[in-house]
Amino acid sequence: MISGDRQVRSWLLAAAAAVTLAVTIGGITRLTHSGLSITEWRPVSGVLPPLTQSAWSDAYQRYLQIPEAQTVHRGITLAQFQGLYWWEWIHRLVARGVGLLLALPYFWFLARGRLGPQHRARLLLLPILVAAQGALGWYMVRSGLAERTDVSAFRLTAHLGLALLIYAICVWSALDLSRPSGTPPGGASASMTLRRWSLAGAGAAFVTMLSGGFVAGLDGGKVFNTFPLMGGRLVPPGYRIYASWWRDAFENPAAAQFHHRVLALATALALLLLARSALRRGREPGVRNAAGLLALAVVAQVTLGIATLVLAVPVLLGVLHQLGGMALLTAALVLSHRTRAEPQGR
């Protein structure tokens, strides 16, 4: 690895860590129902929180006008509102920091010729996507300011999915730059089938996390807090409350939880089989180590998921479950990258 590669890789790893922090704080914001406490979008002046009693009172009064304050947080005091406000303010502040961390170094490395042609094009997505993420975040918040008592589950899931896409680009690109120049690719002996299934496994982990976004957006983790049955049945009561199947799938909390369970367990089984196959067929230490880490991540995530469910989604476990999903996605990406036959161009 040349010096320029090492610097770019360090930037990408720092960016991935920053995205993880933003997703974590976003999870806390969601679980504490804090995300609608700031009812305005001011990209520059919004960096500063209310600094006077009058400013706090104004922000509090604006919040009291939205449906969530009149239902979910009915009777909320100014002191309680401030607790909500700080979580959302921290989330927005960290998100701004992530935007700067993704955009400014990219253009600096680009100007200094540190990015090869392939990475130059791919990493251009980072400043573009982070700008889109800011707009999407406000679009999500707006959905809960007028008629709804919460944000749209569709918009929340899209917001999560875009964050995961940014994270995956950072991780994959950092893996490209982690191999010293001139060394053979780690997956040279991996079969084409293993390579394809490894990539499919990473995709399945991504989709499973998106299904968890709908559960979070609909507060679906608060219903049927038993495992493995739901309400004493395999398919929960109230599974079909809408005539339209797609509306039931994405707007019915019971259906969202059921689908997430089925998808999560199927993905876990598939990833364990993938890890077993990679351990048996992979000859390079990198492939075998990645397979072992993937198996550990699957077991940990399933355990966290069940504990989070049966305890009715306490904030700490909910956040750990979300982080477990990101760890699982990371392990799947690493295994997929390790099984490639050819390295990416610099």
Side-chain angles (χ1 to χ4, degrees):
M1 185 193 305
I2 63 176
S3 177
D5 285 350
R6 187 178 299 111
Q7 292 176 0
V8 175
R9 178 175 178 268
S10 297
W11 161 55
L12 291 169
L13 291 176
V19 172
T20 302
L21 177 62
V23 170
T24 300
I25 297 174
I28 296 173
T29 302
R30 172 60 197 167
L31 291 169
T32 57
H33 292 279
S34 302
L36 296 176
S37 56
I38 302 180
T39 58
E40 298 177 308
W41 174 239
R42 296 180 295 168
V44 179
S45 60
V47 170
L48 295 176
L51 299 176
T52 65
Q53 188 63 32
S54 175
W56 274 115
S57 180
D58 288 344
Y60 175 52
Q61 291 302 320
R62 285 194 298 269
Y63 178 69
L64 291 180
Q65 304 307 308
I66 71 172
E68 182 188 72
Q70 300 163 12
T71 53
V72 178
H73 292 307
R74 185 174 183 177
I76 188 173
T77 65
L78 175 59
Q80 291 170 330
F81 165 74
Q82 288 173 320
L84 301 181
Y85 188 101
W86 283 121
W87 276 121
E88 174 63 5
W89 180 79
I90 291 171
H91 180 52
R92 294 193 186 192
L93 184 67
V94 170
R96 288 180 174 94
V98 172
L100 293 175
L101 181 59
L102 287 171
L104 295 182
Y106 170 80
F107 292 111
W108 187 85
F109 285 124
L110 183 65
R112 295 179 65 87
R114 298 289 183 86
L115 302 176
Q118 182 170 354
H119 287 124
R120 188 184 309 144
R122 182 198 303 167
L123 297 181
L124 176 60
L125 289 172
L126 295 179
I128 293 173
L129 291 178
V130 79
Q133 181 72 320
L136 180 58
W138 175 238
Y139 181 62
M140 175 188 69
V141 170
R142 283 185 58 190
S143 68
L145 297 181
E147 299 177 356
R148 303 175 58 94
T149 61
D150 215 336
V151 300
S152 163
F154 288 94
R155 298 184 192 184
L156 182 144
T157 302
H159 192 51
L160 171 64
L162 192 51
L164 294 178
L165 178 59
I166 293 170
Y167 176 81
I169 291 173
C170 290
V171 170
W172 190 269
S173 300
L175 289 170
D176 279 351
L177 298 170
S178 66
R179 186 180 57 82
S181 299
T183 60
S189 66
S191 69
M192 182 62 70
T193 299
L194 183 57
R195 294 171 200 152
R196 289 173 175 171
W197 278 110
S198 296
L199 190 59
F206 186 91
V207 172
T208 301
M209 289 193 72
L210 293 186
S211 75
F214 280 101
V215 176
L218 297 170
D219 287 324
K222 301 288 187 179
V223 298
F224 299 114
N225 298 109
T226 57
F227 186 84
L229 300 179
M230 301 176 67
R233 294 165 52 180
L234 182 62
V235 179
Y239 176 69
R240 290 297 303 270
I241 61 174
Y242 297 110
S244 171
W245 70 266
W246 69 264
R247 186 179 179 191
D248 198 76
F250 298 113
E251 296 185 14
N252 179 357
Q257 190 198 123
F258 176 72
H259 295 157
H260 183 58
R261 286 190 187 209
V262 172
L263 185 57
L265 292 174
T267 298
L269 178 59
L271 290 178
L272 286 175
L273 292 174
L274 172 63
R276 179 173 177 268
S277 178
L279 284 169
R280 294 178 62 183
R281 299 182 184 183
R283 293 197 293 271
E284 295 84 0
V287 173
R288 294 177 60 82
N289 290 341
L293 288 174
L294 177 61
L296 289 175
V298 170
V299 173
Q301 179 65 344
V302 170
T303 302
L304 277 171
I306 295 173
T308 302
L309 174 68
V310 299
L311 294 175
V313 199
V315 173
L316 178 59
L317 279 180
V319 171
L320 289 176
H321 185 49
Q322 185 170 261
L323 286 173
M326 294 192 74
L328 179 58
L329 175 62
T330 304
L333 287 171
V334 171
L335 178 59
S336 180
H337 196 278
R338 291 285 186 266
T339 58
R340 293 182 314 153
E342 297 295 337
Q344 297 291 333
R346 289 293 193 268

